[in-house]
Amino acid sequence: QVQLVESGGGLVQAGGSLRLSCAASGRIDRINAMGWYRQAPGKQRELVATITSGGNTNYADSVKGRFTISRDNGKGTTYLQMNSLKPEDTAVYYCNADYYYFAARHSWGQGTQVTVSS
């Protein structure tokens, strides 16, 4: 199994930066893609960015050019560098990992709050 713990959220002014971290434990050798999702109040959870074990990345249009996802496969860690933050980026950010352990599985972290003030 794989467990995920996020950190790095907080309160920042518009235009500022934050770096989120997600540390995986357990069978990190089984992890394929990792990603970040977010959920704002009253809205559905949406994809922010994903990265494969080979380093291929995918971003939501709303964050392209501002956010950068990266990962350390050896440590089972993924990061989300968020620059030029906007109030509409305010949400709970969740880390996700897709892995295979007798079957395809998904693991979610507990979430970390990001609040951007105008």
Side-chain angles (χ1 to χ4, degrees):
Q1 304 290 348
V2 171
Q3 297 80 37
L4 304 172
V5 177
E6 303 101 333
S7 61
L11 173 64
V12 64
Q13 288 188 332
S17 299
L18 281 175
R19 187 187 193 221
L20 305 183
S21 299
C22 173
S25 60
R27 295 302 304 267
I28 63 173
D29 58 312
R30 299 290 182 141
I31 295 175
N32 297 317
M34 298 186 78
W36 291 93
Y37 292 72
R38 67 187 181 187
Q39 187 167 17
K43 295 186 177 181
Q44 289 188 329
R45 190 173 297 188
E46 63 176 3
L47 179 147
V48 176
T50 60
I51 184 167
T52 67
S53 56
N56 292 319
T57 59
N58 180 53
Y59 295 92
D61 288 343
S62 59
V63 307
K64 283 181 181 177
R66 300 188 297 122
F67 291 10
T68 302
I69 189 171
S70 60
R71 68 187 279 180
D72 184 326
N73 289 330
K75 294 182 178 179
T77 304
T78 185
Y79 307 95
L80 186 68
Q81 178 66 44
M82 306 185 293
N83 299 328
S84 302
L85 282 160
K86 303 175 181 180
E88 51 263 44
D89 294 318
T90 295
V92 177
Y93 283 70
Y94 296 91
C95 179
N96 170 270
D98 294 337
Y99 66 102
Y100 190 89
Y101 189 70
F102 297 106
R105 300 174 188 271
H106 309 281
S107 183
W108 291 93
Q110 81 287 354
T112 185
Q113 176 71 45
V114 172
T115 302
V116 185
S117 63
S118 58

